[in-house]
Amino acid sequence: MKYTWCLIRSLYGITFFLIITVPGAFSQKFPLVPDHEHWADSVLVTMTLDEKIGQLFMVAAYSNRDSAHEHEILRLVRDYHIGGLIFFQGGPVRQSRLLNTYQHSAKIPLWIGMDAEWGVGMRLDSTIRFPYQMALGAIQDNRLIYKMGKEIAWEFHRLGMHVNFAPVADINNNALNPVINFRSFGEDKENVTEKALAYMKGLQDRNIIASAKHFPGHGDTNVDSHSDLPVIHHPYAHLDSVELFPFKNLFREGIGSVMIAHLDVPSLDPAPNMPTTLSKPVVSGLLRDSLHFNGLVITDALNMQGVTKHYQPGEVELKALLAGNDVLLFPSDVSKSIAMIKSATVNNQIRVSYIDERVRKILVAKSWTGARYARDVEFGNLYEDLNNSHALILRRQLVEASLTVIKNNSVLPLRSLDSLQIASVTIGQEIPDVLQVRLSDYTTVDHFLVRAGEDMNVLCEKLKNYNLVILNVRGLSRNAVDQYGITDEMAGQAREIIASCPVILAWFGNPYGLASIPEFTNAQAVIIAYQDTPETSDLVPQLIFGGIGAAGKLPVSINDSFPAGTGIPVPSISRLSYGMPEEVGLDSKYLAWGIDSIAKYALMNQVAPGLQVLVARNGKVVLHKTYGFHTYDSLQKVAKEDLYDFASVTKITTSLPAIMKMHDERKLDLEDRLGDILPEFSHGNKKDLTFRRMMTHTAGLQSWIAFWTTTLKKNGKYKSRTLSPDSSANFQIRLTDHLYEYKDYKKKIYQMIRKSPLKPEQGYVYSDLSFIIYPSVVERLTGQPWESFLKNTFYHPLGANTLTYNPMKYFDLNQIIPTENDTFFRKVQLHGVVHDEGAAMLQGISGHAGLFGNANDLAKLMQMYLNGGSFGGEQYISSATMKKFEICQYCNEGVRRAIGFDRPIPGHPYDGTCAKDASDSSFGHSGYTGTYTWADPETGILFIFFCNRVYPTRLNVKISDLNIRPAMHQVIYDSRIMK
């Protein structure tokens, strides 16, 4: 039997030799560089035997323990000359202080390692955690994983560390694996290999040693080697073709180290209860002789039950060394281990040259990583450096690239938002967070949080009012031992919802857990997010609505219907997305500092009691902040959901899109005459006015008419035929609770416009008058009421549901920002009603003023303009029409205006209403109440500024005097990162 085993081993060894000793098969990139070898040799010749033996050990160190632990580590460094430390839990500053102390105490510089599979945040608080390897296994662009490796390497250098015990190269082909599982890139050997190589190269391209683990493959176990010795019964042929595949490729590409697992693999070593860590046939025979691995061989932690269950401290370390390991990691008893190894050299059980060989490799590694210089870790900006914007962006990119859609019945991304009544139902989390906020950023969504003991009959009855339910399963676990966090109650709740509603299922956890709810296959769409983090909570809603796409593929199999590799590509459809400034080439620190500074300056100088700012670039909202309060009593803070009176921004958010739509449908041409469209203007001085001239404010119309003055007698009292303190059949237009306007007064307003003087020779004169009558133009052309047309054609399909006239009909008053204390016409504090008197007298509905909304919804409309008339996969306005309307029409006449839009003043960048660096093709508009929006097609920059500068009086003109809006707008341009 023993002879048969040896023959088999020899044959496999020959096979391996034939496979991997092909000329050029290996390119050992670590660490054979003459300079490093020279330093290692110069140190080695000076070392005593005790110092050499000490170099073989890496001892566990913590920065969250007491002084006794610190003193013990110092004792091991000074008295036993240990070679390195592996740091575990703690904090970056605490660890760095300790590390500096330990290095100062070491005769030979220590090399420092860490299990940082998903970054230093795996061990240290206040630092970045990248996604688990299972999530990374879903990513199709391995360059992102390479970048992650480089970023983690940079963090290691910043913390004075040298070896990352990653990547996990185990193939997780056992869903019940209690120790690898989510730490693996998946079950496909090719995918695992590609991901592990990318991670390794990222680390080692910045001279941090990577470590392939857990050789010879810990993926197909159902026992945790921390608590027992797992047994793997696969024959060698299976191990060779599956488990060893990633390791052989990593060796071929020059990985610096490999970590040996605590496994009992009879096909590799038939000795009973023999951990691979202590097995000479595995470490020396298979790894070194057959696979020709020449890098560092490092044991898994030698205090784990997988190895200590059958062997005693000291004995474990000696056997590990005899087996062929170079580095003894996390020994249970350093002094006993060193004593046994030293005794073994005296008894000729181990040759000193055998130790020298291993110590030399360790010293070369120290030189290659820079550990030989042992510089102090600097504390200044340590937290900032370890949480740098580049790393934060990379984490978002990794999460986004990992999102996996495994089923999609043509639901994702959501379209036709105006046809959807959406509910968001969350199981497993009882406190709302960014997920609910982000869903509501796209359209109206009602949110339900399912609690333990929830009456599902009541909930399902409520859900009948919706034609789409987004079911979010959260609060999950990453571990098989507790069924991945799915309780029987949670599974039952999910089943009932899926059975009773059209559902998009978003799974924020380990994909294996879905198998506990077989009914998930009945959902209309299924999204796997792998983890429940702020990034997944933010990005999954963006995927659902098409702000971002999905390209991930399952790294593991859920069942026969959803095997590894399943993944349905989902495109983005030009809706807004939400992210960080650096993602679109803006410096987040400068941008935030500049916007905050001007905002605080504005509040300090009482430009307005509060304000709100939104910045987007290339369709991504990267800043949305609020400042101050609704009023100067400082009782209610401004919120992002608050609605503002747009004032003249109404012109480009109502009249302009409507006229562009009519132009697209060939119902109106810019050269059409007003009198040909509206019969009431078919006579008089305005019948020949063209829409091009009117919309560029060059038709000779007077600026405005104080319509409200016609309602007053000479003594200042209201005319009884015009206004009444009570509502009635004849007085139906509400101006205030105690002031109602005659029902047909619109005719009087139109009459005043019709009879107003016309002076074309004046050239450019900004005028409200034509915009007041555009609603009638569109109603005549479409046969639809003005507001219904706008909401049905633009706002509701865009998901911009706060854009409305007369917001008190639809929103709580506390969500609406108040404007002026009107002391001359309505004689009340204006709140929830339009500020402009003319619009108020038109029932709050006009083409020049009257629209309300929040900044996020205005951004959707403005981004549609920037997208050339498209948004969310729909073409609202043709690109040709957009181009026609957004360019200067009469530049030869010295007029800067486009059709409806304002534009920069040519040749006078400091004199306009926008940033001096805004491009000549940029466009936007400002509003009397303090509102402002500007879009720049050349730079992709979109800026929205809201404030109620007219509170409590319109006499406050500090917003212009202090140049607040152009200055803040310029900050965005100044924050651009130049490449």
Side-chain angles (χ1 to χ4, degrees):
M1 183 71 179
K2 183 175 181 182
Y3 174 80
T4 303
W5 158 246
C6 292
L7 178 61
I8 292 171
R9 289 287 292 110
S10 298
L11 289 173
Y12 278 123
I14 292 170
T15 302
F16 272 126
F17 183 80
L18 291 174
I19 291 172
I20 67 170
T21 56
V22 176
F26 271 99
S27 176
Q28 188 70 33
K29 297 184 175 68
F30 166 82
L32 303 177
V33 179
D35 179 60
H36 303 310
E37 293 181 307
H38 175 75
W39 180 82
D41 291 335
S42 68
V43 174
L44 185 63
V45 296
T46 68
M47 297 172 67
T48 66
L49 179 59
D50 286 347
E51 291 171 343
K52 292 174 182 178
I53 295 173
Q55 285 297 302
L56 303 175
F57 290 86
M58 289 189 82
V59 176
Y62 299 79
S63 57
N64 64 350
R65 294 192 176 180
D66 58 16
S67 59
H69 173 73
E70 178 183 349
H71 294 319
E72 174 61 15
I73 299 298
L74 279 171
R75 185 180 72 86
L76 294 174
V77 171
R78 290 168 178 164
D79 297 349
Y80 291 96
H81 316 289
I82 58 172
L85 302 171
I86 173 172
F87 269 103
F88 287 92
Q89 284 73 23
V93 172
R94 288 168 284 159
Q95 175 175 301
S96 298
R97 291 186 186 279
L98 289 174
L99 179 54
N100 289 348
T101 299
Y102 298 151
Q103 288 286 21
H104 291 165
S105 301
K107 179 180 177 182
I108 297 171
L110 299 163
W111 68 319
I112 309 300
M114 179 180 281
D115 275 313
E117 295 162 19
W118 49 89
V120 298
M122 181 173 173
R123 300 298 181 186
L124 302 181
D125 60 35
S126 310
T127 56
I128 290 176
R129 291 185 170 201
F130 291 102
Y132 299 146
Q133 285 194 187
M134 182 172 285
L136 300 178
I139 295 173
Q140 300 306 295
D141 184 358
N142 293 327
R143 292 172 298 181
L144 289 172
I145 299 170
Y146 171 78
K147 290 178 181 179
M148 183 193 77
K150 289 191 74 173
E151 177 60 32
I152 293 173
W154 185 90
E155 294 173 5
F156 264 58
H157 282 299
R158 184 66 180 85
L159 287 163
M161 300 194 298
H162 314 103
V163 56
N164 185 8
F165 297 111
V168 172
D170 303 314
I171 298 168
N172 199 78
N173 37 22
N174 186 334
L176 299 179
N177 194 317
V179 63
I180 303 302
N181 205 300
F182 69 95
R183 297 166 61 195
S184 167
F185 289 116
E187 68 181 53
D188 179 81
K189 65 180 184 181
E190 299 281 356
N191 190 45
V192 169
T193 300
E194 291 172 4
K195 303 301 191 278
L197 282 170
Y199 193 173
M200 176 269 283
K201 289 179 179 179
L203 291 170
Q204 293 194 175
D205 279 358
R206 280 188 167 164
N207 285 63
I208 293 297
I209 296 174
S211 188
K213 64 185 188 185
H214 306 80
F215 186 87
H218 208 320
D220 197 3
T221 65
N222 57 10
V223 173
D224 187 345
S225 54
H226 291 84
S227 57
D228 204 345
L229 180 62
V231 181
I232 294 181
H233 296 287
H234 290 307
Y236 189 81
H238 180 278
L239 296 175
D240 180 29
S241 64
V242 180
E243 276 79 6
L244 292 175
F245 184 85
F247 292 98
K248 289 187 289 185
N249 280 277
L250 286 163
F251 299 163
R252 185 175 296 113
E253 292 297 322
I255 194 165
S257 72
V258 63
M259 179 179 283
I260 308 297
H262 305 314
L263 302 170
D264 184 353
V265 189
S267 63
L268 297 183
D269 190 337
N273 299 319
M274 176 56 70
T276 44
T277 331
L278 311 185
S279 169
K280 191 168 185 177
V282 172
V283 180
S284 294
L286 173 60
L287 179 61
R288 290 194 182 280
D289 297 338
S290 295
L291 297 183
H292 298 279
F293 178 69
N294 297 318
L296 286 162
V297 181
I298 303 173
T299 69
D300 205 342
L302 294 175
N303 68 334
M304 292 165 59
Q305 291 294 308
V307 69
T308 61
K309 183 174 182 178
H310 302 286
Y311 299 93
Q312 296 299 311
E315 181 186 14
V316 167
E317 287 73 21
L318 176 58
K319 282 184 172 293
L321 184 61
L322 289 169
N325 291 282
D326 298 312
V327 179
L328 308 175
L329 189 70
F330 207 155
S332 296
D333 189 323
V334 173
S335 60
K336 185 178 290 187
S337 300
I338 289 178
M340 289 192 71
I341 293 171
K342 187 173 183 179
S343 177
T345 63
V346 174
N347 297 331
N348 294 320
Q349 189 178 2
I350 298 178
R351 299 188 311 275
V352 173
S353 61
Y354 183 88
I355 294 175
D356 286 350
E357 178 186 341
R358 277 142 185 81
V359 173
R360 184 177 186 273
K361 289 172 67 176
I362 292 168
L363 293 173
V364 170
K366 289 187 176 184
S367 180
W368 186 82
T369 61
R372 78 192 238 193
Y373 302 108
R375 299 182 181 91
D376 279 357
V377 179
E378 298 290 339
F379 304 136
N381 297 318
L382 185 58
Y383 286 111
E384 293 82 355
D385 291 346
L386 295 175
N387 293 277
N388 65 82
S389 60
H390 176 268
L392 293 170
I393 291 170
L394 178 58
R395 180 170 65 182
R396 288 183 67 88
Q397 291 173 335
L398 290 163
V399 171
E400 180 177 336
S402 74
L403 296 179
T404 305
V405 175
I406 62 172
K407 183 179 181 183
N408 185 18
N409 289 348
S410 301
V411 178
L412 299 175
L414 294 180
R415 300 173 186 265
S416 303
L417 300 185
D418 53 333
S419 68
L420 298 176
Q421 294 79 48
I422 304 174
S424 159
V425 179
T426 299
I427 295 173
Q429 184 166 330
E430 299 184 1
I431 300 174
D433 63 0
V434 67
L435 183 141
Q436 285 79 19
V437 172
R438 191 63 73 222
L439 286 170
S440 293
D441 278 338
Y442 283 98
T443 190
T444 301
V445 179
D446 295 330
H447 303 285
F448 300 87
L449 300 173
V450 180
R451 294 172 170 80
E454 187 90 21
D455 188 331
M456 295 305 294
N457 290 327
V458 173
L459 176 61
C460 288
E461 188 64 30
K462 292 179 180 177
L463 294 179
K464 290 180 180 178
N465 297 318
Y466 303 89
N467 58 13
L468 180 66
V469 173
I470 300 170
L471 175 58
N472 310 293
V473 183
R474 307 184 64 185
L476 301 173
S477 163
R478 62 195 186 187
N479 301 314
V481 67
D482 59 359
Q483 294 184 310
Y484 301 102
I486 300 296
T487 65
D488 291 342
E489 182 181 27
M490 291 171 65
Q493 291 168 338
R495 289 190 191 99
E496 290 193 49
I497 294 169
I498 293 171
S500 60
C501 309
V503 163
I504 294 173
L505 174 61
W507 185 264
F508 291 84
N510 194 313
Y512 285 134
L514 264 177
S516 63
I517 310 176
E519 295 82 358
F520 82 84
T521 57
N522 295 326
Q524 297 299 302
V526 180
I527 302 166
I528 308 294
Y530 300 98
Q531 291 176 245
D532 196 346
T533 66
E535 283 79 18
T536 56
S537 298
D538 188 7
L539 291 168
V540 165
Q542 299 188 48
L543 164 60
I544 290 172
F545 285 96
I548 62 173
K553 294 185 178 181
L554 272 180
V556 295
S557 297
I558 298 172
N559 55 32
D560 291 342
S561 299
F562 296 93
T566 301
I568 302 170
V570 175
S572 62
I573 52 173
S574 72
R575 282 206 180 98
L576 289 173
S577 61
Y578 300 81
M580 297 176 59
E582 281 78 6
E583 292 181 82
V584 291
L586 302 177
D587 185 304
S588 56
K589 290 184 179 178
Y590 185 90
L591 181 66
W593 171 81
I595 298 292
D596 287 350
S597 297
I598 295 173
K600 292 173 183 176
Y601 178 76
L603 295 180
M604 180 179 66
N605 286 279
Q606 294 193 323
V607 167
L611 51 92
Q612 183 170 166
V613 180
L614 184 146
V615 176
R617 191 179 193 191
N618 300 336
K620 187 181 293 290
V621 177
V622 296
L623 184 146
H624 189 188
K625 299 185 74 171
T626 62
Y627 306 85
F629 298 85
H630 281 212
T631 59
Y632 286 113
D633 58 17
S634 302
L635 294 178
Q636 184 177 352
K637 288 185 177 181
V638 176
K640 293 178 181 178
E641 298 77 23
D642 289 339
L643 280 69
Y644 286 80
D645 181 337
F646 282 10
S648 282
V649 172
T650 299
K651 292 181 174 68
I652 66 167
T653 52
T654 63
S655 295
L656 185 57
I659 296 297
M660 285 195 283
K661 190 69 172 177
M662 296 301 94
H663 183 274
D664 266 346
E665 295 178 355
R666 299 178 182 270
K667 294 177 180 178
L668 184 147
D669 187 85
L670 290 174
E671 302 308 324
D672 284 346
R673 299 179 302 175
L674 179 60
D676 294 335
I677 303 295
L678 288 181
E680 55 264 52
F681 285 88
S682 61
H683 300 284
N685 62 359
K686 297 176 183 64
K687 64 183 179 66
D688 293 325
L689 297 184
T690 66
F691 284 85
R692 188 188 301 274
R693 282 292 180 182
M694 289 188 292
M695 296 189 76
T696 53
H697 305 278
T698 59
L701 294 166
Q702 69 182 76
S703 180
W704 68 296
I705 298 173
F707 303 111
W708 64 273
T709 60
T710 64
T711 68
L712 303 178
K713 299 177 182 178
K714 290 183 179 180
N715 62 5
K717 293 184 178 182
Y718 298 128
K719 293 178 180 178
S720 60
R721 292 183 180 181
T722 304
L723 300 174
S724 170
D726 299 305
S727 63
S728 65
N730 286 329
F731 293 88
Q732 300 176 1
I733 302 174
R734 180 189 177 279
L735 297 178
T736 73
D737 288 341
H738 303 290
L739 189 62
Y740 294 83
E741 180 185 290
Y742 181 64
K743 62 183 178 66
D744 290 331
Y745 203 73
K746 179 179 178 180
K747 295 179 181 178
K748 175 70 171 177
I749 290 175
Y750 271 45
Q751 182 183 56
M752 284 188 277
I753 294 175
R754 192 165 58 248
K755 292 183 177 181
S756 64
L758 194 67
K759 299 179 181 179
E761 69 278 3
Q762 292 180 106
Y764 168 74
V765 175
Y766 179 81
S767 175
D768 287 342
L769 300 189
S770 71
F771 286 85
I772 292 173
I773 61 178
Y774 291 147
S776 294
V777 170
V778 173
E779 287 176 351
R780 178 170 291 274
L781 294 175
T782 65
Q784 297 182 52
W786 170 247
E787 185 172 17
S788 296
F789 170 80
L790 290 171
K791 288 184 175 180
N792 294 335
T793 306
F794 297 105
Y795 306 157
H796 292 172
L798 287 168
N801 297 326
T802 65
L803 300 189
T804 186
Y805 292 104
N806 298 310
M808 286 180 65
K809 291 182 180 180
Y810 313 102
F811 297 94
D812 189 284
L813 194 62
N814 288 331
Q815 195 179 337
I816 307 168
I817 301 290
T819 54
E820 187 172 16
N821 183 5
D822 185 347
T823 60
F824 53 88
F825 175 38
R826 286 163 282 183
K827 301 180 181 178
V828 294
Q829 169 62 57
L830 302 180
H831 192 186
V833 296
V834 62
H835 176 263
D836 183 271
E837 298 84 10
M841 297 174 73
L842 292 165
Q843 295 182 279
I845 300 174
S846 179
H848 80 292
L851 196 70
F852 285 71
N854 65 34
N856 187 64
D857 280 353
L858 174 58
K860 297 170 187 176
L861 184 65
M862 294 298 295
Q863 189 62 46
M864 182 266 284
Y865 294 155
L866 276 174
N867 292 348
S870 70
F871 190 85
E874 297 182 37
Q875 194 76 37
Y876 291 87
I877 300 165
S878 72
S879 59
T881 294
M882 276 303 312
K883 289 178 181 177
K884 180 183 292 187
F885 275 66
E886 69 186 35
I887 64 173
C888 180
Q889 300 295 303
Y890 298 107
C891 290
N892 59 328
E893 298 177 12
V895 178
R896 71 175 188 266
R897 291 272 174 169
I899 301 174
F901 293 116
D902 194 4
R903 288 173 55 86
I905 300 174
H908 299 277
Y910 291 94
D911 296 336
T913 61
C914 61
K916 66 178 180 63
D917 285 342
S919 74
D920 290 341
S921 62
S922 65
F923 55 86
H925 215 283
S926 59
Y928 190 76
T929 55
T931 55
Y932 179 81
T933 182
W934 207 269
D936 191 337
E938 288 189 23
T939 63
I941 290 172
L942 171 61
F943 175 53
I944 295 173
F945 177 99
F946 283 163
C947 79
N948 53 336
R949 70 98 190 164
V950 294
Y951 179 90
T953 172
R954 68 182 63 193
L955 299 178
N956 178 10
V957 294
K958 293 178 181 176
I959 192 170
S960 298
D961 292 345
L962 299 177
N963 205 39
I964 297 298
R965 292 176 295 192
M968 192 176 282
H969 194 195
Q970 181 61 35
V971 166
I972 308 169
Y973 288 85
D974 292 341
S975 72
R976 286 178 292 177
I977 300 170
M978 301 301 176
K979 294 183 179 180

